[in-house]
Amino acid sequence: MGVPLIEPLADPGRLNSVRPLERDELEIGLRRCLAQIDANMAIFGDGSFPTPAAQGGLYKPMGNEEWTNGFWTGQLWLAYELTGDMRYRNLAEQNVKSFLDRVERRHELDHHDLGFLYIPSCVAAFKVCGSEAGRRAALLAADQLMTRWQGKGRFFQAWGPMNSPEHYRFIIDCLLNVPLLYWASEMSGDPIYAECARNHFMTTCAHIIRSDGSAFHTFYMDPVTGGPSRGATRQGYSDDSAWARGQAWGIDGIPINIRHTGMDGYADYARSMRNYFLNRLPEDSVCFWDLIFQDGSGQPRDSSAAAIAVCGLDEMAQLEKSAEERLIDENAGTSILRSLIFDYMSDEAVPGAPILCHGVYSWHSGKGVDEGNLWGDYFVFEAIARKLVKWNPYW
């Protein structure tokens, strides 16, 4: 598949009229993030973790065994970086010990989500305060991710036994897992981690992004030849629809991979995914859970996809050489983030509640529909941090 079409923006005037975010607007968002994290530390300050999604508006405590646990620790690191308050660092470092224990025991890690787990927790710990426990845990996690490598097809298999033809597939989410491997090459001096990450990135762009700039959630490869087979979904409305969070993973993941590899020839893939996403946003700029739905559909939003997209738009803006393209990224991110801060975040902190409301975990299973979720909380906080300070990305 060649470089996808870049749709013209349907309403460029709307983007051009967006007011820049004022510092006081961002500080309102920051205060809401910190207040909710403070409230949640009263419940999850004992080394437990919030469940992936809220139920009835509240997270429940759980052990370190889900793919989402890193996003809670990532919130703590962001809070520490923006405030210097040792309470956040102390709990984050306690969690890092749990992540080290988990990877040493290889507990519930037979999947590709090692980046989601170990980048915002342990890579962050090393970047923020030079944590040796974080460094060791993240390098072991990189080794564990390498066990998912399918050399014939040049991709990281998402789930399932490695010798199972029905599981010979990857998903778009993994664009945010492979940055763990670029970091591992930097730390270890071994280029094999980055080489596999780069190849997975190229395989993803070649096959999972459709010619119109939308994306499949899942792509199956031929286990015999290693070549492409078919696209499908496990999270979107249908195989040929555009799952909003998958689109957001692409908007964020492509420029992150470009930053690590220098492969700026892939920037048009990001622009194509961006324009497809922006052209299907509703009036308040926060997407529905699948991009086929619009205002009046009665379907739930996915605020977490919107928050991920804001982070990706900021990544893209930093890569753009064109002032016009950079302005699109900045104004679109501003429009979405302003809506998230003032319409999707509560001004009242409740112990166990999410930072960001109205997300969707899995519509088909009914899990976390119109609820907060941990990655939404993390990415809206990251989006605010990116706007407030010169932030050194964990990814």
Side-chain angles (χ1 to χ4, degrees):
M1 187 182 296
V3 177
L5 169 76
I6 301 176
E7 285 186 348
L9 289 171
D11 190 359
R14 177 182 171 187
L15 276 182
N16 291 337
S17 64
V18 172
R19 288 185 297 107
L21 272 165
E22 302 291 342
R23 186 170 184 86
D24 63 344
E25 294 179 284
L26 291 167
E27 288 178 346
I28 289 170
L30 174 62
R31 286 197 299 272
R32 290 177 176 178
C33 289
L34 294 173
Q36 190 56 62
I37 291 169
D38 288 348
N40 287 347
M41 286 173 68
I43 298 176
F44 308 110
D46 59 354
S48 64
F49 293 81
T51 47
Q55 183 177 355
L58 297 174
Y59 296 117
K60 305 294 189 294
M62 65 171 295
N64 193 350
E65 56 199 38
E66 268 282 7
W67 69 274
T68 54
N69 299 121
F71 294 120
W72 165 238
T73 308
Q75 292 171 52
L76 297 171
W77 284 123
L78 287 170
Y80 172 65
E81 284 204 86
L82 270 67
T83 68
D85 190 328
M86 287 298 295
R87 293 181 304 120
Y88 303 120
R89 175 172 169 172
N90 291 340
L91 182 53
E93 289 182 323
Q94 180 180 329
N95 286 357
V96 167
K97 293 177 185 177
S98 173
F99 280 102
L100 177 58
D101 174 71
R102 179 173 175 178
V103 72
E104 287 178 336
R105 293 188 296 112
R106 297 190 177 186
H107 178 63
E108 296 292 338
L109 294 178
D110 195 15
H111 52 71
H112 72 148
D113 284 324
L114 280 298
F116 287 138
L117 282 166
Y118 283 86
I119 291 174
S121 60
C122 296
V123 172
F126 180 73
K127 288 188 173 186
V128 172
C129 61
S131 166
E132 280 303 315
R135 183 180 187 275
R136 172 171 167 75
L139 285 171
L140 289 173
D143 288 337
Q144 179 65 19
L145 179 53
M146 289 293 288
T147 68
R148 308 299 299 172
W149 178 245
Q150 291 285 11
K152 186 186 296 183
R154 303 197 313 169
F155 67 93
F156 288 96
Q157 183 177 308
W159 314 285
M162 295 294 286
N163 59 355
S164 168
E166 66 183 284
H167 290 100
Y168 197 72
R169 59 181 171 175
F170 61 94
I171 65 174
I172 195 166
D173 314 39
C174 199
L175 288 173
L176 270 289
N177 286 319
V178 296
L180 176 64
L181 302 178
Y182 299 121
W183 176 86
S185 277
E186 291 173 13
M187 291 296 105
S188 68
D190 188 340
I192 189 63
Y193 300 103
E195 180 182 332
C196 291
R198 185 170 59 251
N199 279 311
H200 178 92
F201 170 53
M202 291 189 289
T203 299
T204 300
C205 289
H207 302 305
I208 214 165
I209 304 171
R210 303 184 185 105
S211 60
D212 63 358
S214 65
F216 295 109
H217 169 225
T218 302
F219 201 89
Y220 289 83
M221 303 291 275
D222 186 321
V224 176
T225 68
S229 179
R230 63 185 176 89
T233 196
R234 278 187 55 161
Q235 292 275 35
Y237 182 74
S238 65
D239 287 349
D240 57 359
S241 70
W243 176 49
R245 193 158 74 247
Q247 197 78 12
W249 290 136
I251 291 168
D252 199 16
I254 294 171
I256 288 175
N257 278 268
I258 293 172
R259 167 161 54 83
H260 283 288
T261 64
M263 298 169 67
D264 57 8
Y266 282 82
D268 276 349
Y269 287 87
R271 297 182 190 112
S272 178
M273 293 198 75
R274 175 199 67 190
N275 283 18
Y276 188 96
F277 181 83
L278 296 180
N279 282 344
R280 287 156 184 81
L281 292 183
E283 186 63 30
D284 75 348
S285 297
V286 175
C287 53
F288 290 89
W289 71 276
D290 194 292
L291 297 178
I292 64 169
F293 299 117
Q294 296 294 309
D295 285 321
S297 65
Q299 292 288 325
R301 309 297 180 105
D302 185 4
S303 59
S304 73
I308 295 162
V310 175
C311 296
L313 289 163
D314 183 73
E315 280 282 341
M316 291 173 64
Q318 297 180 50
L319 292 175
E320 292 289 5
K321 296 180 175 66
S322 160
E324 181 181 357
E325 292 291 339
R326 191 161 55 249
L327 189 63
I328 291 170
D329 299 330
E330 291 172 349
N331 285 356
T334 292
S335 178
I336 298 168
L337 185 54
R338 178 176 281 123
S339 189
L340 291 175
I341 290 172
F342 291 101
D343 297 325
Y344 291 79
M345 296 172 70
S346 174
D347 200 27
E348 180 182 355
V350 176
I355 292 172
L356 192 63
C357 302
H358 306 302
V360 171
Y361 183 178
S362 174
W363 183 84
H364 289 286
S365 69
K367 289 168 56 177
V369 176
D370 197 25
E371 295 276 8
N373 51 57
L374 278 188
W375 57 92
D377 294 348
Y378 169 82
F379 280 105
V380 76
F381 197 1
E382 180 185 304
I384 291 167
R386 284 173 174 270
K387 300 290 186 184
L388 269 175
V389 298
K390 188 173 176 57
W391 183 69
N392 180 27
Y394 305 151
W395 306 93

